[in-house]
Amino acid sequence: MAWVMSQSGKEIMNCVAFRIKRLEGYKKTFIEGQISNSDTFHILGEFDSEDEAISIFKELYKTLSSSENPSFDFSKQLPRT
């Protein structure tokens, strides 16, 4: 589990899983987090390209796997959308 700040800076969520998703009809790629005790995924950040999302996803993984108290702040990832 990890505490994650959404890209908007308005929500902090305790996530147990993450995924990259491109929704039909949108030109953006999203990183979503699954909330603890829920089957629902919530959008944590949106990106203009899949490459950008993958780069941030790798940073997310690196940060969370190297910490005893994992947390990640999507609001500090640039560019903001």
Side-chain angles (χ1 to χ4, degrees):
M1 289 189 283
W3 290 102
V4 181
M5 171 74 75
S6 67
Q7 194 175 33
S8 67
K10 295 179 181 176
E11 297 178 272
I12 297 175
M13 296 173 245
N14 192 10
C15 296
V16 295
F18 301 92
R19 68 182 179 191
I20 295 175
K21 188 170 186 179
R22 187 171 181 101
L23 300 175
E24 249 184 77
Y26 288 89
K27 294 182 179 179
K28 304 228 179 224
T29 301
F30 301 92
I31 294 179
E32 299 178 326
Q34 182 181 8
I35 306 305
S36 178
N37 298 322
S38 173
D39 291 335
T40 305
F41 279 81
H42 297 271
I43 294 173
L44 301 172
E46 62 180 69
F47 305 91
D48 292 328
S49 72
E50 190 172 330
D51 289 341
E52 184 183 13
I54 289 170
S55 175
I56 298 298
F57 194 86
K58 286 179 181 177
E59 188 169 328
L60 168 70
Y61 178 80
K62 180 181 171 186
T63 300
L64 298 184
S65 64
S66 65
S67 176
E68 288 183 29
N69 297 311
S71 65
F72 192 81
D73 191 343
F74 277 91
S75 69
K76 293 184 179 178
Q77 303 307 311
L78 298 175
R80 287 187 188 181
T81 54

